[in-house]
Amino acid sequence: MSVQTLIEKLQLGFKLLMPDRALKFFPPDFTFRRPEIALLKKRASRDGDGYLALFRLDFSMLHQEVPNEIWDELQNGCRRQMKISAGDRLPEDSLIALRQYSRTDYALLAWSQDKKEHGAIVPFELRCSADIIRSDVEIALASLFPAWRHCLKVTVHCVPVESLAEPRGTEQALENAYQLALALATRQWTTQTEAMRKQLERFLDEGAVSVLSQPIMNLSTGDIYGWEILARGPEGSYFHMPDELFRFATQTRLLSRLEFMIVKRALEEIASRRIREPVFLNVTAVTLSHPLFLQHVLQCLEHHPLLSPKQIYFEITERHEVADLEAMAGILREFRKYGFRFAVDDAGAGYSSLQWISELVPELIKIDRSVIQQVDRVAIKESLLRALLTAAREMKCEVVAEGVEREEEADVLFRLDVAMGQGFYFARPNVLLHEHEREIFREMKEKIQLRRGQVAS
Ligand code: C2E
Ligand code: CA
């Protein structure tokens, strides 16, 4: 036996003697000992519930195998960062264990006493913490492997660990939770995802989807030009954030039903808050092409005489799903007859959006966040922004710069005379407000006027 093997055996023997709690972060793969199960069982007597968050290293954008040489370092980096972030982002008594299932799959087991709202499956706070940890790991791996940063994504799927009757109760419950999270991560169809489809259908029947709004600022005056409406599933549920909501709805063929409902809900909220500015409704090209969509929107508007199609811009998302641009141009023509307007999202993010812009000639172009972020520091981004502004001017399209997060980015927009901006720097998405609740934007108006004046002089 070599010295190295001997040391490893001794280390293993030593670890076998350690208490479960000393092994809660990525224990070695014992065949006869599962510390996370013992730890979970211990919590089961207390108030609250157990949850599993499955973090997955997703290389699907790479279209080829990841070379074996980088896997070791990748896995070490992921485990190291998860340990740090889980420790930082979760209350100590909430974090039960971390476990690696495969080279791509890492689970965080947590305990939470927070309540779940609206038939949600995971408490909101936990879902948010898991998302922050996901982002921490993604950033850490991107800085470890800069060359891979564009093709490595980290995803997270949170599910409850439903307790089962003994004898294999906890172990089986954990396995079920893992299988469900895995099915969601890999988009497999299982009895569990079928149950989630039923849950989503129930949410749709109950109308349990809400909307937020984010202001689009007029950068000349500092006034609010309009509002982008952003959908949210029930708080704390798997479907809360739009990425998961729309991905799952698409996968289960509930997309258009969901979007019909969001438009109805959005128009109700806009009318009840007496919003007079333009509103921007996101809609997928698939739903826009639905034979009943126009009729549906017009019927919804009939209930709200103060609203008119002229107030509505449809922001077309997920364009890649529709190949037939000519048919789409015909559909836009139909909507335009009533006064609806169109915006193309994410301009500058890819070639296809340029093709869309030139063929559909939208009334408004939203310049993608990827162009705006760091536009003050990366000269080529400023050139790209200038090119898009020139194209928009020639096509007589209005322009909104999206994803403005920093003052320096806003200053570039002032300097280049960009008409409108949107982003966390101005305001985060929030519930829709009545006119008398808009005092909070007064300060921003003054700030825009001041900065604009300073940059111009
Ligand atoms: P999007 O159309 O690009 O919407 C803007 C997203 O960027 C929103 O995320 C918003 O919160 C976020 N955002 C705004 N300002 C900033 C910023 O300064 N920095 C950063 N990093 N992000 C910013 P959200 O609400 O999570 O929506 C994500 C996506 O989900 C949307 O991207 C849109 O494609 C889709 N979506 C949201 N609501 C709907 C809807 O009602 N229908 C459809 N079809 N899609 C929707
Ligand atoms: Ca949008």
Side-chain angles (χ1 to χ4, degrees):
M1 191 186 294
S2 72
V3 178
Q4 183 60 29
T5 327
L6 184 66
I7 293 173
E8 276 170 16
K9 291 228 160 177
L10 282 172
Q11 279 176 339
L12 190 68
F14 178 65
K15 280 185 172 164
L16 285 176
L17 299 173
M18 289 166 100
D20 292 324
R21 80 190 124 72
L23 292 170
K24 68 183 199 175
F25 296 144
F26 299 115
D29 218 359
F30 297 136
T31 48
F32 53 93
R33 189 167 165 194
R34 300 270 306 272
E36 76 277 15
I37 292 178
L39 290 165
L40 194 59
K41 268 187 184 156
K42 244 185 237 165
R43 295 293 173 101
S45 55
R46 294 204 224 153
D47 263 0
D49 296 291
Y51 299 92
L52 181 145
L54 184 67
F55 296 79
R56 174 161 249 247
L57 307 189
D58 176 0
F59 281 102
S60 53
M61 280 188 281
L62 185 61
H63 299 297
Q64 68 175 61
E65 290 294 303
V66 178
N68 274 333
E69 327 57 284
I70 79 160
W71 271 113
D72 278 352
E73 218 183 316
L74 205 55
Q75 292 176 83
N76 285 337
C78 182
R79 285 194 300 256
R80 195 168 48 239
Q81 188 60 46
M82 273 190 71
K83 222 158 120 176
I84 298 171
S85 297
D88 285 352
R89 313 285 188 183
L90 286 173
E92 205 186 326
D93 62 343
S94 170
L95 175 57
I96 300 179
L98 297 170
R99 173 171 180 205
Q100 183 169 357
Y101 276 91
S102 68
R103 23 190 222 187
T104 51
D105 292 344
Y106 305 77
L108 180 158
L109 269 180
W111 193 259
S112 170
Q113 295 180 350
D114 292 326
K115 68 175 184 335
K116 295 172 273 181
E117 286 157 24
H118 255 309
I121 59 171
V122 177
F124 180 58
E125 292 76 5
L126 184 61
R127 170 81 184 57
C128 292
S129 304
D131 205 49
I132 296 171
I133 297 168
R134 184 208 64 74
S135 156
D136 288 346
V137 175
E138 200 171 74
I139 293 167
L141 294 181
S143 69
L144 255 182
F145 298 94
W148 296 86
R149 66 187 313 151
H150 300 296
C151 49
L152 168 60
K153 265 196 345 185
V154 180
T155 60
V156 63
H157 293 83
C158 297
V159 297
V161 182
E162 313 272 10
S163 53
L164 287 182
E166 293 296 340
R168 279 189 65 214
T170 311
E171 191 180 346
Q172 187 63 54
L174 194 56
E175 181 59 23
N176 289 356
Y178 169 62
Q179 290 301 338
L180 172 58
L182 189 65
L184 291 168
T186 56
R187 306 183 188 193
Q188 293 160 15
W189 202 237
T190 64
T191 45
Q192 289 160 308
T193 43
E194 179 59 35
M196 288 186 69
R197 183 186 199 271
K198 290 219 168 78
Q199 187 191 35
L200 179 56
E201 280 196 279
R202 205 168 55 242
F203 287 150
L204 293 180
D205 289 344
E206 292 166 359
V209 170
S210 56
V211 292
L212 301 179
S213 68
Q214 186 179 30
I216 294 172
M217 310 304 294
N218 178 325
L219 299 184
S220 310
T221 62
D223 291 320
I224 292 169
Y225 173 78
W227 303 88
E228 177 173 1
I229 305 296
L230 297 159
R232 292 290 182 270
E235 213 163 84
S237 77
Y238 174 76
F239 304 112
H240 182 60
M241 292 309 284
D243 284 351
E244 279 93 354
L245 178 66
F246 288 100
R247 194 172 346 106
F248 194 85
T250 306
Q251 210 182 327
T252 51
R253 304 183 65 79
L254 291 170
L255 178 67
S256 290
R257 203 169 135 197
L258 170 68
E259 296 204 81
F260 274 51
M261 204 194 92
I262 292 170
V263 168
K264 181 167 176 277
R265 169 58 43 87
L267 294 175
E268 280 164 7
E269 296 248 345
I270 292 159
S272 77
R273 305 296 194 287
R274 299 182 170 271
I275 290 177
R276 290 174 213 283
E277 296 90 2
V279 288
F280 292 71
L281 304 180
N282 288 285
V283 63
T284 59
V286 173
T287 297
L288 200 58
S289 328
H290 192 294
L292 299 176
F293 185 62
L294 175 57
Q295 194 186 327
H296 171 72
V297 180
L298 293 172
Q299 274 170 0
C300 292
L301 283 172
E302 274 173 21
H303 292 103
H304 310 295
L306 287 181
L307 301 182
S308 96
K310 291 196 183 65
Q311 200 181 341
I312 297 174
Y313 285 84
F314 286 111
E315 281 189 25
I316 310 176
T317 59
E318 306 291 338
R319 298 175 298 272
H320 53 273
E321 301 219 1
V322 171
D324 191 346
L325 276 177
E326 219 177 289
M328 186 49 78
I331 291 166
L332 300 206
R333 224 174 293 125
E334 279 304 301
F335 277 79
R336 280 178 170 138
K337 282 185 194 159
Y338 294 88
F340 294 106
R341 288 177 281 181
F342 290 89
V344 163
D345 238 355
D346 316 329
Y351 160 76
S352 69
S353 64
L354 296 182
Q355 199 185 351
W356 266 77
I357 291 169
S358 57
E359 301 210 16
L360 299 180
V361 197
E363 281 79 7
L364 187 145
I365 295 176
K366 294 191 93 175
I367 299 181
D368 191 56
R369 191 160 66 230
S370 59
V371 179
I372 306 303
Q373 271 171 3
Q374 312 285 332
V375 67
D376 54 312
R377 295 183 185 155
V378 183
I380 192 82
K381 291 198 176 191
E382 186 175 322
S383 309
L384 181 54
L385 175 57
R386 283 173 186 275
L388 287 165
L389 293 174
T390 307
R393 218 164 284 137
E394 278 172 19
M395 288 190 293
K396 301 199 174 15
C397 292
E398 298 172 283
V399 168
V400 174
E402 275 192 311
V404 186
E405 290 184 359
R406 298 163 36 245
E407 188 154 74
E408 294 80 359
E409 292 162 354
D411 285 348
V412 175
L413 305 182
F414 295 137
R415 179 160 54 77
L416 299 184
D417 221 6
V418 179
M420 289 176 270
Q422 177 183 355
F424 295 167
Y425 172 66
F426 304 114
R428 290 195 171 244
N430 203 341
V431 290
L432 276 72
L433 299 172
H434 282 280
E435 203 149 356
H436 64 267
E437 296 167 318
R438 309 244 192 99
E439 266 302 284
I440 44 170
F441 294 110
R442 180 122 59 96
E443 222 173 279
M444 182 45 69
K445 177 172 172 155
E446 284 162 12
K447 200 155 131 188
I448 290 175
Q449 288 177 342
L450 181 74
R451 295 300 302 180
R452 195 185 168 90
Q454 283 174 352
V455 170
S457 60

